[in-house]
Amino acid sequence: MSQPGTVAQPLRVAIVGAGPAGFYAAERLFKETELVVEVDMYDRLPTPFGLVRNGVAPDHQKIKSVTAAFDRIAGNPSFRFFGNVELGRHVTVDDLKGYYHQILYSTGAQTDRPLGIPGDELIGSHPATEFVAWYNGHPDYRDHQFDLSQERVAVVGVGNVAVDVARILCRTPDELMKTDIADYAFEALRNSRVKEVYILGRRGPAQAAFTAPEAKELGELADCDAIVPPDEAELDPLSQATMTGADRADVRKVEIIQELSRRRPVGKSKRLVLRFLVSPVELIGDESGRVRQMKLVHNELYATDAGSLRPRATDRAEMLDVGLVFRSIGYNGVPLPGVPFHESWGVIPNDGGRVLEPATKEPLLGQYTAGWIKRGPTGVIGTNKPDAAETVENMLADARAGRTLTPAHASAGAALALVKERQPCVVSYADWQRLDALELSRGKEQGRPRIKFTRVDDMLAALRE
Ligand code: NAP
């Protein structure tokens, strides 16, 4: 068979995972001028956009407007969306090999990292990732329960996800009205009794993983005082030394934290307390197995041989009364059936996006990866653009060199027939656009940007109507 990439035989690519990395990969593929490329994008949910829909905080609507760019990419006549089709359930990697010259996995990082301390499993101790998926209306998490009758909450970790979770807990109903938060989450948060939210960093302000704009936002909440204990906002001499020559954004972040530490509460209804140099070492429950307290140790920083500053426990400890705990110490990748996986790194082993055979470390023909499942859960949405571009450059180089799979059924029609046979309820991009329009109009009726469908059955029923 002749080399694919011509009008008669386009290069057929399956992208598994319709988040930002998948869309940026499709965009880069369509920019190719020498080869004719066709893309089918699979997602196990009927809705595209991955973490933009299910992860980005609902009060960050501006960030979500990146979907307009994804719509433009999806508008390419050589693009198709196969939503509600799951790899490993409806189609396997071996199936895809029979229909595509190249397969790209961009499934993100779908689970959390555990804290690994006694009491982690108590009732009321949750991964932040689940709370995020819940308030964003992810169908798998919409029925989770979070006890918002508790007054005091701890969020462990000081990344942007921890800040998102704390901020959403502290927003007023008026603030949440302006968001596309899931309707049940809006109701639950409106009736929440949460009064005090602690965000707990194990290192100091200079090492906080959240970014400066997110820190600033904490000081601008309508009915919540942001508090930083002044002694914990101070930099220790080791951190102070790292500030010389630090990024402007990192210096600004420390300034914002220190500015917050000089503020006095002005009597707002809620308090958000940002703590540093503390680590939870145990969660303590009551007789019904529900979390009641957290034991914290105070840390000091030391420099490793490699020069980074790490936390070390001192002999000072304290107890924090909390009835709800969210651990927000990073996402973790989940293996895909039939695809190599590096368990301890939580990623697909790869070299520049070329999936590697674990035993030989040689690239697997025609298989690629991009996004968090390639590099781990770091960076913002835009980080996925160069990441996906790197992978696609290698895909195109391989295609030009004739290193592709040799599928028996390399046509768009054959792939569609397979998908329809395996999943009659496949959702196309046009279907998604109808759901999108319905969500927007339901939102308009209630003076909100969007009211999401949060059950797959409801989405499919709406499409049938
Ligand atoms: P992250 O940025 O990697 O932050 C993880 C936090 O958990 C760090 O503060 C880390 O502290 C802490 N941590 C790790 N292990 C811990 C332990 N055993 N005990 C206590 N603390 C521990 O992860 P993330 O917040 O999940 O965010 C993931 C990515 O998405 C990030 O790149 C983030 O910027 C991005 N994101 C961006 C936005 C936005 O742009 N608004 C919103 C959400 C997420 P150490 O530094 O000490 O390890």
Side-chain angles (χ1 to χ4, degrees):
M1 195 183 64
S2 66
Q3 208 165 301
T6 60
V7 175
Q9 178 54 75
L11 177 73
R12 304 225 356 97
V13 180
I15 295 181
V16 182
F23 273 96
Y24 287 131
E27 180 181 46
R28 179 64 194 83
L29 281 164
F30 290 143
K31 284 202 174 131
E32 167 63 17
T33 49
E34 281 173 32
L35 298 172
V36 179
V37 184
E38 290 179 349
V39 171
D40 288 343
M41 185 180 279
Y42 290 77
D43 202 287
R44 71 188 193 85
L45 290 180
T47 52
F49 309 148
L51 274 191
V52 176
R53 180 175 167 98
N54 292 314
V56 169
D59 57 344
H60 283 171
Q61 288 293 306
K62 251 201 200 146
I63 296 182
K64 293 191 188 236
S65 62
V66 68
T67 57
F70 301 158
D71 279 338
R72 281 195 295 278
I73 298 163
N76 189 303
S78 298
F79 177 96
R80 295 188 302 186
F81 177 58
F82 292 152
N84 205 26
V85 183
E86 186 170 348
L87 183 74
R89 182 167 166 219
H90 303 106
V91 290
T92 64
V93 170
D94 280 342
D95 289 331
L96 296 181
K97 283 182 183 168
Y99 291 80
Y100 297 94
H101 299 103
Q102 297 185 324
I103 308 166
L104 179 142
Y105 308 105
S106 50
T107 47
Q110 297 168 42
T111 188
D112 68 301
R113 292 181 42 219
L115 264 177
I117 59 171
D120 215 1
E121 71 300 335
L122 287 170
I123 301 166
S125 159
H126 307 274
T129 53
E130 292 187 1
F131 188 58
V132 169
W134 173 79
Y135 63 58
N136 273 315
H138 189 302
D140 292 356
Y141 298 93
R142 55 122 29 246
D143 293 320
H144 277 42
Q145 301 289 327
F146 300 96
D147 182 6
L148 299 175
S149 70
Q150 299 299 325
E151 291 194 355
R152 289 158 62 94
V153 184
V155 185
V156 182
V158 282
N160 279 330
V161 171
V163 170
D164 283 350
V165 164
R167 204 177 59 246
I168 292 296
L169 285 167
C170 293
R171 288 274 189 210
T172 64
D174 277 354
E175 288 174 303
L176 293 176
M177 266 296 279
K178 300 186 193 109
T179 77
D180 67 351
I181 194 163
D183 49 0
Y184 55 78
F186 176 70
E187 272 314 300
L189 286 160
R190 198 156 69 128
N191 296 315
S192 138
R193 297 220 201 106
V194 170
K195 286 214 156 45
E196 205 158 45
V197 178
Y198 288 82
I199 308 185
L200 306 173
R202 62 177 170 180
R203 299 190 285 161
Q207 295 83 33
F210 55 69
T211 37
E214 278 65 26
K216 185 158 174 280
E217 227 180 338
L218 294 180
E220 296 166 348
L221 295 169
D223 194 21
C224 177
D225 283 315
I227 294 162
V228 187
D231 54 328
E232 292 177 13
E234 283 309 310
L235 296 192
D236 63 297
L238 288 173
S239 299
Q240 190 65 55
T242 65
M243 285 287 100
T244 327
D247 266 13
R248 177 74 205 121
D250 286 339
V251 174
R252 181 73 195 118
K253 181 174 65 192
V254 171
E255 283 170 4
I256 293 167
I257 293 167
Q258 295 184 335
E259 193 264 319
L260 289 176
S261 79
R262 288 190 288 274
R263 286 199 203 170
R264 291 290 146 258
V266 295
K268 294 183 174 180
S269 321
K270 291 182 181 168
R271 286 158 54 103
L272 192 157
V273 187
L274 192 49
R275 301 279 313 265
F276 292 101
L277 289 166
V278 286
S279 283
V281 286
E282 186 179 357
L283 301 182
I284 295 116
D286 60 17
E287 55 290 343
S288 60
R290 178 167 288 286
V291 65
R292 283 287 163 250
Q293 281 189 313
M294 174 185 270
K295 183 175 181 188
L296 289 174
V297 292
H298 288 239
N299 297 329
E300 60 187 10
L301 295 180
Y302 71 97
T304 63
D305 293 342
S308 64
L309 300 185
R310 302 303 309 160
R312 178 165 58 199
T314 65
D315 55 8
R316 280 175 62 212
E318 69 177 84
M319 300 302 280
L320 196 62
D321 292 334
V322 282
L324 195 55
V325 174
F326 293 110
R327 46 182 184 276
S328 183
I329 61 169
Y331 283 77
N332 213 357
V334 183
L336 289 166
V339 183
F341 189 68
H342 194 301
E343 283 293 340
S344 48
W345 296 352
V347 299
I348 296 175
N350 71 92
D351 180 12
R354 289 186 176 104
V355 177
L356 299 180
E357 216 287 302
T360 62
K361 307 265 189 309
E362 289 296 317
L364 277 175
L365 189 67
Q367 299 193 58
Y368 304 87
T369 180
W372 276 7
I373 195 68
K374 167 189 174 188
R375 71 173 192 277
T378 60
V380 294
I381 293 165
T383 315
N384 293 298
K385 200 168 181 167
D387 177 299
E390 178 195 48
T391 299
V392 174
E393 299 299 344
N394 287 329
M395 292 169 75
L396 294 171
D398 289 351
R400 282 189 207 104
R403 286 192 300 268
T404 67
L405 297 164
T406 45
H409 321 279
S411 78
L416 181 63
L418 169 84
V419 168
K420 284 206 160 151
E421 180 209 322
R422 301 291 177 79
Q423 171 53 301
C425 297
V426 53
V427 172
S428 69
Y429 209 77
D431 291 336
W432 151 247
Q433 286 175 315
R434 280 167 59 209
L435 287 177
D436 185 35
L438 283 170
E439 290 188 345
L440 293 173
S441 79
R442 296 185 337 162
K444 203 165 176 198
E445 280 163 23
Q446 297 189 29
R448 301 200 27 214
R450 168 189 301 274
I451 307 253
K452 287 180 177 178
F453 289 100
T454 59
R455 289 191 196 282
V456 171
D457 284 350
D458 292 348
M459 297 178 199
L460 299 180
L463 287 174
R464 276 194 298 271
E465 268 166 29

